[in-house]
Amino acid sequence: MNTPARLGTYVLGLAVVFAGAFGVGGAVGATGPEPAKSSHGDHTTPPPAAQKTEHVPGGLQVSQDGYTLTPQTTTITPGTQTEFRFTVDGPDGRPVTAYETQHDKKLHLIVVSRDGVVFRHLHPELSGDGIWSVPLTLPDAGAYRVFADFVPQGGEGLTLGADLYAPGDYAPRALPAPSRTATVEGYTVRLDGTLTPGAASRLTAEITRDGKPVTDLQPYLGAYGHLVALRAGDLAYLHVHPDGAPGDGVTPAGPGITFYAEVPSPGDYRLYLDFQHDGTVHTAAFTVRAERPSGAIPTATADRGSELAHSGH
């Protein structure tokens, strides 16, 4: 995903709002009008009920704006590669076959375990009849969430979510504790910055290998890095894009990748950073705590034990 991007559509960039079962959400209340004076004496007419406009975070709904995510595969045997198939059905009830290309792909599929440990970022293939399919292997039994991030042709970007299950004995794992660094496949990633609810927050990922800064990151899907954020507790989804773009003459190819993100509420957020170096895509996972300005500085957590895979990148 390049320049600061918008919410949804393989959606993490210049001031965007989070959404995901850890997820992010927000509500904005509108103040109602003042009570109207009655024409009869000093009595007042009771005001209408205050109206509230509520933004529903991406990924929390299976259906939105007439579009519905319809999985044809709902269970996957752990440890067994399965062809995961689904459609996005349009307002006419038929599978959508025409999509806008966003960040080099027509649809981005995120699969994450409800405890945030397993993460997949996949790019399915679309058949002529509107059926998407992609090989998917889940390592453990448990509950998972799938997010389809796309823009229907001529429409607005959407992120729809649905549940997926891997049958078997399941023991949920706790969210990893806060830490500012993550180690993944020989790389060390440090995440600097804080998440402040209701404000654009600057986060910078600094990437090193063998103690040396990585200054030759390679573009991946049109950007030097991609960040998926999910709010702990409901998995509201947001894909945030970095500041700048490869080849713009300004943005360096590392070691730092800067993102701007806005979260609506305090709490923990699970962040997954994709970056490409030496022809391989790597994923570093963190837990970041968003706190009020008067609170302690939030920290990012390394997920050294997380099972992160890049199939389909």
Side-chain angles (χ1 to χ4, degrees):
M1 308 176 206
N2 10 17
T3 53
R6 61 187 177 180
L7 175 63
T9 338
Y10 187 59
V11 249
L12 281 165
L14 260 165
V16 261
V17 181
F18 280 111
F22 298 102
V24 207
V28 178
T31 304
E34 292 193 9
K37 293 273 187 175
S38 168
S39 59
H40 303 290
D42 293 332
H43 298 292
T44 58
T45 302
Q51 297 180 351
K52 183 172 71 173
T53 301
E54 185 172 353
H55 167 72
V56 178
L60 295 183
Q61 300 184 106
V62 73
S63 185
Q64 182 180 347
D65 298 340
Y67 294 89
T68 301
L69 174 60
T70 306
Q72 297 186 355
T73 309
T74 56
T75 60
I76 290 182
T77 302
T80 302
Q81 181 173 291
T82 303
E83 197 72 13
F84 179 69
R85 293 160 59 87
F86 64 94
T87 61
V88 175
D89 299 329
D92 59 1
R94 294 180 293 183
V96 177
T97 58
Y99 295 81
E100 306 284 355
T101 298
Q102 294 289 312
H103 318 297
D104 297 343
K105 298 292 181 181
K106 292 186 176 181
L107 185 144
H108 300 270
L109 186 74
I110 300 297
V111 182
V112 64
S113 59
R114 282 280 180 178
D115 58 17
V117 175
V118 178
F119 176 82
R120 299 285 189 276
H121 177 179
L122 308 169
H123 299 112
E125 296 293 330
L126 178 64
S127 64
D129 56 2
I131 297 176
W132 291 95
S133 62
V134 64
L136 175 61
T137 303
L138 300 177
D140 304 309
Y144 293 79
R145 188 74 174 170
V146 296
F147 302 97
D149 193 345
F150 63 93
V151 181
Q153 191 172 75
E156 297 294 326
L158 292 170
T159 302
L160 302 179
D163 288 330
L164 179 64
Y165 301 96
D169 293 335
Y170 167 56
R173 291 157 286 195
L175 201 66
S179 169
R180 285 190 176 272
T181 57
T183 301
V184 52
E185 297 156 355
Y187 295 84
T188 298
V189 184
R190 177 181 174 84
L191 191 64
D192 294 316
T194 63
L195 282 179
T196 302
S201 302
R202 177 188 174 106
L203 299 174
T204 299
E206 295 282 343
I207 302 171
T208 61
R209 184 168 66 170
D210 300 326
K212 299 178 181 179
V214 175
T215 58
D216 56 346
L217 292 171
Q218 297 165 322
Y220 171 60
L221 300 175
Y224 285 132
H226 303 283
L227 192 64
V228 169
L230 302 174
R231 185 172 58 190
D234 63 0
L235 289 185
Y237 171 94
L238 174 64
H239 193 109
V240 180
H241 299 279
D243 190 16
D248 63 2
V250 176
T251 306
I257 312 172
T258 296
F259 300 88
Y260 290 87
E262 183 177 338
V263 297
S265 63
D268 290 332
Y269 293 81
R270 190 72 168 148
L271 271 58
Y272 306 92
L273 170 68
D274 289 337
F275 63 94
Q276 182 167 266
H277 188 243
D278 285 348
T280 301
V281 176
H282 307 277
T283 303
F286 306 85
T287 301
V288 175
R289 181 162 298 153
E291 296 180 320
R292 302 292 184 193
S294 57
I297 296 176
T299 55
T301 358
D303 179 22
R304 292 182 175 87
S306 288
E307 199 284 329
L308 299 169
H310 320 295
S311 4
H313 277 297

